[in-house]
Amino acid sequence: MSDPLRRTVAAVSSVAAFACVVWLVRAASWGWLPGDSGDRWALAATTGTVVAAALLFGLTRWSSRTAPPSPTPGGGRSVEQIAEAGDRAVVEQVVGNRVPRRGGAGSASPADRFRQRAKGTGSSRIRQTGGDDTP
């Protein structure tokens, strides 16, 4: 399901929940509900708002969910790295190998597709390398 459609479903569900709660409180004849029409409207609107907000809060996580990265052609590896640093932190993001490949056990295949994002504040240092990190 596409992102705009998810957001539309979340918004419509929230409005529908509000309308249903307002209708239920106005139509119900429970003894504990206020008898005055103005008080009943206020209670219905307040309760509807709380229910709609709670539903929207729950659906927001679902509607803002991102799709997993699409597989690369040929079934290769896909890597995504995201980092934030502050003060004097050091971030090193490497896609590939830190030492020359020997082809033995434990060596990772190179990534066919990679994405690196980093954000630094203060005097933080960021180093991003794509491919083998060899001298």
Side-chain angles (χ1 to χ4, degrees):
M1 186 179 292
S2 68
D3 190 45
L5 185 58
R6 285 185 189 164
R7 292 175 194 255
T8 302
V9 167
V12 169
S13 298
S14 180
V15 170
F18 176 81
C20 287
V21 169
V22 168
W23 174 82
L24 180 67
V25 171
R26 293 286 301 148
S29 60
W30 297 318
W32 56 272
L33 289 173
D36 183 40
S37 179
D39 290 342
R40 191 171 275 215
W41 267 112
L43 178 65
T46 303
T47 306
T49 301
V50 168
V51 169
L55 180 65
L56 190 58
F57 178 76
L59 289 176
T60 298
R61 182 174 173 102
W62 171 76
S63 68
S64 63
R65 181 177 62 185
T66 59
S70 59
T72 56
R77 234 171 32 117
S78 175
V79 177
E80 180 175 5
Q81 298 174 333
I82 302 171
E84 289 189 25
D87 296 331
R88 288 181 279 174
V90 177
V91 174
E92 289 192 31
Q93 295 179 322
V94 178
V95 176
N97 296 306
R98 293 298 303 242
V99 295
R101 288 190 56 160
R102 297 182 188 154
S107 63
S109 62
D112 290 333
R113 189 177 72 112
F114 65 91
R115 179 177 174 195
Q116 296 174 319
R117 290 187 305 166
K119 177 182 177 184
T121 59
S123 59
S124 60
R125 291 183 297 148
I126 298 172
R127 179 180 174 195
Q128 297 177 312
T129 306
D132 287 335
D133 188 25
T134 56

